[in-house]
């Protein structure tokens, strides 16, 4: 006899979408709300097109997956990160289409999920207004430009930050179909350190902050692909100090 | 288009003041005399929110022999109408001129309470309101709902093309500056030496930067610092009787902000971390410091990354 899947725990935020998202994302794995999972956001959504979120699971055990999502966004999931050879830290910028819970969740090696989140008040339209570069008309001129750097970090992990010029079209703006970065890999000397699946809920010109395991003089390779099959590559060397 | 999106984080519905339930909303007015024939109506040192009806900016009332002059009009039609009544009772003379110091809605959206032809602003401010006003109006209605009832987007009818105006012999010097926005009006009441700085001056309250150019703002502060004046009315925060403290505090904050944000990008901080930077002790006197720092991170960070981080694509 098959055991019935356990229901996700009651949502402290009282979100109407919690049960549906929890079942989809976490399937039948145990889920618990964990205040020690550090989800950091500004106290105000000054710009609903570009709301910064940082998820930090360092010190909570080995993490195999990290997700950042907003319950009431039409595209709830923004990023799904596997930190294969990286400290469990992910900072990105997302769109907010209305007032919504914003959450971070991490999956431990035993399969269980830890979740934290908060309601964020936001003006409407973060997902349904055209990207600034579309309005300006110069998105194609700068498509795929990657800027960034690496910095020495703590406990054997470096700090890697980069931004990729991309319109990240949601498909909700008239006559502009969905067009977004969808996968991104970080590697060092051929060894995969992390993979991220990306949705158009990430802000235009997405920015990433990661902590891959690397020492000074290591070269970190970034490769990404968008929904048109276009590839993007970049590399940065970890400095000595 | 730049749209100010102010709000509160919360799992809580925004609270409605008790007075708002079953009673008409009313702004409290307590004009305080700051010089001979000059009063300041203090705004609250808070974000724009339902509890304060958006009345966060300081308003100045000047009694002249020719009539009453106002500097800024508040956030809504309701505020502008009440301000007109309060000011005319205070001075016993009709309002004959309303100056709008810059485009922001907490200063400009009450102007519909006055005849267009007496509302004056710099040409750049009128263009700014024309361009950004609808977005501001949408944001204000979202945040303040019934406080905004009846408020329509209105433009000042009188572009300022002179460096002074006299009202029955009371001379007001008009200074066209910029930096907090693309056009910032500062006014000197020559009779009392009172400087009305608009949002070029923040006093014991952190400066807001949604439309700021920090380098031009510093130049404008240097101009005000060279001025021979006595007290200063800041756009936000208490009256500065020294006339110098608000200038110094605003200059110190934006100077720190500029270098701190540059350093944050250069040292690899993400936007959340930059918004959590420690605020140096001398600047801790500024109310709403964390809130305004996080707003400023949103205003400046992506452009700074584009300027300071090198290309690494291949």
């Amino acid at each position: 006899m098959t055991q019935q899947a356990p229901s996700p725990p009651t949502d402290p935020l009282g979100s109407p979408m919690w049960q549906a998202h929890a079942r989809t994302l976490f399937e039948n794995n145990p889920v618990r709300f964990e205040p020690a999972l550090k989800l950091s956001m500004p106290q105000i959504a000054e710009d609903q097109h570009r709301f910064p979120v940082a998820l930090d699971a360092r010190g909570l055990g080995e993490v195999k997956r990290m997700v950042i999502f907003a319950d009431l966004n039409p595209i709830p999931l923004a990023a799904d990160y596997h930190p294969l050879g990286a400290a469990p830290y992910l900072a990105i910028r997302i769109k907010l289409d209305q007032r919504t819970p914003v959450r971070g969740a991490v999956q431990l090696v035993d399969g269980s999920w830890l979740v934290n989140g908060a309601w964020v008040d936001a003006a409407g339209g973060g997902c349904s207004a055209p990207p600034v570069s579309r309005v300006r008309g110069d998105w194609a001129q700068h498509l795929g430009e990657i800027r960034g750097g690496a910095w020495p970090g703590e406990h054997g992990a470096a700090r890697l930050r980069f931004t990729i010029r991309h319109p990240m079209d949601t498909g909700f703006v008239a006559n502009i179909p969905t067009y977004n970065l969808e996968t991104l890999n970080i590697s060092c000397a051929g060894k995969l350190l992390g993979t991220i699946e990306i949705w158009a809920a990430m802000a235009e010109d997405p920015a990433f902050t990661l902590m891959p395991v690397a020492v000074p003089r290591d070269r970190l390779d970034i490769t990404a692909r968008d929904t048109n099959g276009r590839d993007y590559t970049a590399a940065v060397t970890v400095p000595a100090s | 288009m730049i749209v100010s999106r102010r709000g509160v984080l919360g799992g809580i519905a925004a609270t409605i003041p008790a007075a708002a339930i079953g009673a008409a909303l009313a702004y409290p007015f307590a004009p305080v005399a700051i010089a001979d024939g000059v009063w300041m109506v203090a705004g609250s040192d808070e974000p724009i929110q339902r509890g304060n009806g958006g009345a966060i900016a300081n308003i100045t009332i000047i009694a002249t022999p020719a009539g009453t002059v106002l500097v800024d009009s508040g956030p809504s039609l309701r505020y502008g109408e009440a301000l007109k009544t309060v000011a005319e009772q205070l001075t016993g003379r009709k309002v004959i001129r309303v100056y709008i110091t810059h485009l922001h809605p907490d200063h400009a959206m009450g102007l519909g309470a006055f005849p267009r032809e007496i509302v004056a602003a710099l040409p750049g401010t009128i263009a700014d309101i024309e361009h950004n006003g609808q977005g501001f109006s949408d944001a204000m209605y979202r945040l303040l709902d019934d406080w905004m009832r009846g408020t329509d987007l209105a433009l000042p009818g009188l572009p300022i093309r002179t460096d002074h105006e006299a009202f029955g012999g009371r001379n007001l010097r008009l200074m066209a500056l910029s930096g907090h926005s693309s056009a910032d009006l500062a006014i000197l009441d020559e009779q009392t030496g009172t400087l009305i700085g608009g949002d070029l001056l923040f006093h014991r309250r952190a400066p807001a930067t949604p439309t700021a150019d920090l380098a031009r703002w510093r130049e404008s502060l240097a101009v005000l610092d060279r001025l021979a004046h006595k007290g200063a009315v800041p756009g936000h925060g208490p009256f500065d009787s020294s006339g110098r403290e608000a200038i110094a505090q605003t200059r110190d904050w934006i100077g720190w902000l500029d270098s701190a944000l540059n350093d944050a990008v250069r040292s690899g901080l993400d936007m959340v971390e930059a918004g959590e930077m420690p605020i140096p002790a001398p600047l801790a006197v500024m109310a709403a410091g964390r809130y305004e720092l996080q707003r400023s991170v949103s205003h400046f960070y992506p452009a700074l990354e584009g300027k300071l981080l090198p290309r690494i694509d291949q």
Side-chain angles (χ1 to χ4, degrees):
Chain A
M1 204 176 112
T2 55
Q3 207 182 343
Q4 200 179 347
S7 283
T10 304
D11 178 19
L13 303 181
S15 162
M17 290 303 290
W18 164 250
Q19 292 285 333
H21 288 325
R23 283 178 200 284
T24 307
L25 283 170
F26 310 136
E27 299 175 318
N28 294 334
N29 295 296
V31 176
R32 86 166 188 267
F33 292 98
E34 178 52 73
L37 173 63
K38 203 174 158 207
L39 180 73
S40 308
M41 306 180 279
Q43 57 182 265
I44 176 180
E46 176 70 2
D47 181 349
Q48 73 273 33
H49 305 104
R50 197 165 53 197
F51 182 67
V53 183
L55 182 60
D56 184 356
R58 289 176 293 174
L60 298 178
E62 197 179 330
V63 169
K64 58 180 192 178
R65 230 175 119 189
M66 310 178 77
V67 296
I68 291 174
F69 63 102
D71 288 28
L72 303 184
N73 266 357
I75 304 169
L77 198 55
D80 183 347
Y81 176 37
H82 290 73
L84 306 166
Y89 183 94
L90 172 66
I92 59 172
R93 296 167 200 168
I94 66 172
K95 298 170 182 139
L96 298 172
D97 207 45
Q98 62 169 82
R99 182 170 179 273
T100 175
V102 173
R103 303 186 202 255
V106 299
Q107 189 176 32
L108 304 179
V109 280
D110 66 2
S112 67
W113 285 89
L114 311 181
V115 184
N116 202 353
W119 280 91
V120 175
D121 189 31
C127 297
S128 45
V132 174
S133 62
R134 290 259 180 211
V135 175
R136 219 168 35 217
D138 68 347
W139 69 273
Q141 276 166 260
H142 298 284
L143 183 71
E145 289 180 6
I146 305 178
R147 290 179 182 274
W151 292 263
E154 296 164 5
H155 309 298
R159 169 177 283 258
L160 174 64
R161 292 202 71 228
F162 54 94
T163 63
I164 307 178
R165 294 291 297 267
H166 202 288
M168 299 297 282
D169 295 309
T170 56
F172 303 136
V173 180
N175 299 317
I176 305 175
T178 309
Y179 179 46
N180 59 271
L181 292 169
E182 59 176 358
T183 60
L184 188 142
N185 295 326
I186 306 295
S187 58
C188 181
K191 185 184 176 222
L192 199 56
L193 300 180
T195 69
I196 312 179
E197 284 178 65
I198 299 162
W199 281 262
M202 273 191 75
E204 178 184 10
D205 303 335
F208 302 83
T209 306
L210 309 168
M211 295 187 179
V213 174
V215 297
R217 285 182 289 282
D218 273 352
R219 185 181 124 131
L220 295 167
D221 288 298
I222 301 160
T223 59
R225 177 167 292 180
D226 71 19
T227 49
N228 279 7
R230 190 181 163 112
D231 288 318
Y232 306 90
T233 61
V236 60
T237 301
V238 182
S241 60
Chain B
M1 186 171 79
I2 297 156
V3 180
S4 176
R5 300 298 190 191
R6 306 176 191 218
V8 287
L9 173 77
I12 39 165
T15 49
I16 298 166
I21 299 165
L25 299 175
Y27 290 99
F29 279 89
V32 173
I34 54 172
D36 182 28
V38 187
W39 293 263
M40 184 178 109
V41 180
S44 80
D45 281 338
E46 296 171 330
I48 293 171
Q49 56 199 26
R50 280 188 185 82
N52 56 41
I56 64 165
N58 294 332
I59 309 292
T60 308
I61 302 168
I62 305 171
T64 80
T68 302
V69 174
L70 300 177
V71 184
D72 285 330
S73 64
S76 62
L77 179 67
R78 189 192 302 266
Y79 187 100
E81 286 173 342
L83 171 64
K84 181 170 184 286
T85 305
V86 166
E88 290 179 349
Q89 279 172 359
L90 191 66
T91 62
R93 290 175 194 275
K94 282 175 72 77
V95 172
I96 53 164
R97 174 73 71 248
V98 181
Y99 292 107
I100 302 298
T101 56
H102 66 293
L103 79 159
H104 290 151
D106 47 331
H107 300 259
M109 286 203 68
L111 69 82
F114 304 93
R116 241 184 123 238
E117 62 275 12
I118 72 161
V119 181
L122 294 171
T125 298
I126 297 171
D128 281 347
I129 296 174
E130 204 164 10
H131 189 243
N132 293 307
Q134 193 56 53
F136 283 134
S137 175
D138 292 349
M140 294 293 275
Y141 269 89
R142 186 182 84 79
L143 289 169
L144 300 175
D145 50 51
D146 201 36
W147 286 105
M148 297 300 292
R149 184 190 298 234
T151 308
D152 285 323
L153 186 59
L155 294 177
L158 202 59
I160 296 172
R161 303 190 195 280
T162 171
D163 61 2
H164 74 281
E165 260 192 298
F167 301 93
R170 192 159 190 164
N171 201 37
L172 300 180
R173 199 185 309 169
L174 308 177
M175 292 166 278
L177 300 168
S178 65
H180 175 72
S181 71
S182 74
D184 295 295
L185 177 67
I187 299 172
L188 180 68
D189 170 39
E190 293 185 343
Q191 183 177 314
T192 63
T194 305
L195 169 65
I196 301 146
D199 274 8
L200 289 170
L201 297 184
F202 281 71
H203 188 213
R204 299 180 202 167
R205 203 278 185 199
T209 62
T211 49
D213 178 324
L214 299 182
R216 283 164 62 188
W217 197 339
R218 272 195 292 263
E219 289 166 20
S220 293
L221 288 169
V223 171
L224 296 182
D225 204 24
R226 285 195 295 270
L227 211 60
H229 62 272
K230 294 183 179 136
V233 178
H236 298 267
F239 174 64
D240 176 9
S241 55
S242 77
R244 303 292 153 185
E245 188 173 272
I247 295 174
Q249 285 179 347
T250 307
R251 184 181 56 214
D252 291 351
W253 176 279
I254 65 174
W256 166 73
L257 180 70
D258 200 3
S259 64
L261 291 180
N262 275 267
D263 290 348
V265 171
R266 285 202 181 93
S267 57
L269 300 191
D270 65 52
M271 277 174 69
V272 173
E273 293 169 315
E276 291 173 351
M277 288 190 288
I279 295 169
L283 296 173
V285 297
M286 306 297 259
R290 180 67 49 195
Y291 169 83
E292 291 299 344
L293 170 59
Q294 294 186 347
R295 293 185 70 208
S296 294
V297 168
S298 177
H299 305 147
F300 294 114
Y301 220 70
L304 282 176
E305 288 170 334
K307 192 173 93 180
L308 299 174
L309 296 179
R311 287 279 292 274
I312 57 169
D313 50 292
Q314 296 171 320

